Amino acid sequence: MTITELSPGLTLILGSVLIPLLRGRLRSAYMVLLPLLGLVHLSLLSTGEFGVLHFVGQELVTLRVDRWSMVFGWIFMIATLISAIYALHLRSPLQATAGFAYAGSAIGAVFAGDLMTLFVFWELTAVTSVLLVWAGGGLSAYRAGMRYLIVQIASGMLLFFGALVQLNATGSISFEHIGLDAPGGWLIFAAFGIKCAFPFLHNWLQDAYPEASEVGTVFLSAFTTKLAVYALARGFAGEDLLIPIGAAMAAFPIFYAVIENDLRRVLAYSLNNQLGFMVVGIGIGTELSLNGTAAHAFSHILYKALLFMSMGAVLYRVGTVKGSELGGLYKSMPLTAIFCIIGAASISGFPLFSGFVSKSMILSATGMEAYMVTWAILLFASAGVFHHSGIKIPYFAFFAHDSGKRCQEAPANMLIAMGIAAFLCIAIGVMPGPLYALLPYPVEYVPYTSSHVLAQLQLLMFSALAFSVLMWTRIYPPELRSVNLDFDWFYRVPLVRVTQRTGAALRATLGAGGRGVSAALGGLVLRLEAQRGPSGLLAKSWPTGSMALWVMVMLLAYLLFYYVG
Amino acid sequence: MNHPAGHTPAEPKRWLDHAQNVRKIYYSVWIVCGLLLLAELFIDKHGDVEIEHWFGFHGFYGLIACVALVLAAKLLRRALIRPEDYYDNH
């Protein structure tokens, strides 16, 4: 097998093993060279299916190269390079090793040609990335990491079970367009939806990302959710249900972003909002909208990493990213402030910055296909994202009321990483041609017309006016030390209590009348046997499937009880 | 990690530290918005949607959207706000 038949994900995963063995400058050089090698590896690939393995009668395609996998492969590898440079100041090799293995898993998943290979890499992203959350340190990061892991593993289980249902019905595990009506379609849709932070399945994102280390969040922001966007685009393009889901994702998180005090959590909410644009693009399913989704994922990874890097630098130097504690940092960290503003301008879609040339493709496709309500919601979300990410983040961190905090500028490696990301944000905005050439379908879209530039500038400047007036008149809600309840409250408070009480009640009953319980359990076992036996309901069509399901349920229950207990 | 103390007394004042300069920025946002509306007299706005052709549509939409967003978020916060250590105690 030559290197062109090997997944570029494996380059990073196998390469990550060496990181803990190296020290000092040698390790730093290796961490920069490895993703560069990955970029070379990508450039050597040719279209087609390679690295086919045979496993229990099925063909596993470990390397499928086409325009969809390549555009995500490129941006994932670039994000790996930037994140690696951002991590160079760390003495301990743990985060870099986990980060490379995580990035490699995401790239491996993108190049997977079948659902089993996808599943393996899907779960690998979960177990490698949780180390980055735990690297945040402390009990709250540990607990957030456990919640994160449970949700991610559950997503993988749904994917696995969906794949088995598809295998049972069609005899194939290949990963092509699936659709909701296909066998296992809903299971796979839910698996992708969890990782893509659909409404009510989203809280793991806002919960875990702000708890991760400053380096960890940069890695995390690039891969997991965009892997889900890629998977949705491949499996569910043109699925109408995705349009309202995406619109809800674009709109609701911005209300939370306005009142959230932890600036990295604000960024997590706006990440969720940006995913909404991509999901709408997938739902519309035209060549323009799908191109828009791929282009927006590409530019989004860069500006989101840039914003998280700037806040990570603040966290590293000041020790907090709470809006209520910050302000006036432009005096101490002027370069970080400039990079943050470039990221902010990009996410807001200012002309000459990357968001402008990618987000507008999705908006345009929405308007052209006459989804008027969705179009209006996305336009609202565009104004809103400028408001909370474009203005609020740089304003409260670097300007606003001078907190009196003085610190050093960010370390050189962080500045270099931010500089590369900032350069790419501007380069894509000024010269979108090379990005458009990478997209899955031919591009006829022209972003720079006088009408479009004027419309966007009006939208953004009047949003800035709204912010200025509300600040001037002191109507704008101040940053307060607080948490705001979100959907995760349901499983962090009532669910935990119910489980604890059930456990206590169970123990009490067992002490008092153990026989009654064992009789009841015996009855349950008998009923299960009736369903699972050779002629039972669950065993009728897919014995391996039901077996796998129960193993998954048990594993999930174990994790849940481990967490709650 | 640095945990710096307060101001150094000798630190020179920056341009933004003067209130009149902040006021300049505030009024210049108004002026830029006015100019962007004026520009519409000279640029033919065409969009994918009919209402995009209305005079100043994007500007007014952005203004109203953001004011509504902030006011709604303020109301939302009244219901959702909890002390920082809420989840540690529940």
Side-chain angles (χ1 to χ4, degrees), chain A residues 221-266:
Chain A
S221 76
F223 301 110
T224 299
T225 49
K226 264 62 72 181
L227 168 58
V229 165
Y230 161 82
L232 277 172
R234 205 181 263 294
F236 297 93
E239 201 63 65
D240 285 337
L241 183 60
L242 287 170
I243 299 172
I245 290 177
M249 286 166 79
F252 285 111
I254 59 181
F255 292 93
Y256 275 90
V258 170
I259 52 175
E260 177 58 50
N261 186 31
D262 183 318
L263 296 183
R264 289 202 303 169
R265 190 160 281 131
V266 173

Side-chain angles (χ1 to χ4, degrees), chain A residues 97-223:
Chain A
T97 312
F100 270 97
Y102 168 46
S105 311
I107 294 173
V110 156
F111 283 102
D114 67 274
L115 291 169
M116 278 305 141
T117 310
L118 180 70
F119 163 75
V120 169
F121 284 117
W122 196 264
E123 292 291 52
L124 266 177
T125 61
V127 294
T128 47
S129 60
V130 74
L131 299 171
L132 297 168
V133 180
W134 285 336
L139 187 65
S140 67
Y142 170 73
R143 293 178 69 89
M146 282 307 289
R147 287 191 291 270
Y148 170 83
L149 191 60
I150 290 169
V151 174
Q152 298 296 316
I153 298 273
S155 159
M157 288 172 175
L158 289 168
L159 173 59
F160 186 71
F161 193 52
L164 286 181
V165 174
Q166 177 184 317
L167 173 64
N168 191 60
T170 67
S172 156
I173 50 166
S174 73
F175 178 28
E176 303 296 338
H177 181 81
I178 300 166
L180 287 175
D181 300 330
W186 278 100
L187 289 167
I188 299 174
F189 187 74
F192 294 173
I194 289 175
K195 250 190 168 56
C196 198
F198 279 5
F200 306 119
L201 306 173
H202 66 284
N203 271 123
W204 60 267
L205 200 169
Q206 291 86 354
D207 183 17
Y209 284 18
E211 296 286 351
S213 66
E214 69 274 359
V215 168
T217 313
V218 176
F219 270 108
L220 286 163
S221 76
F223 301 110

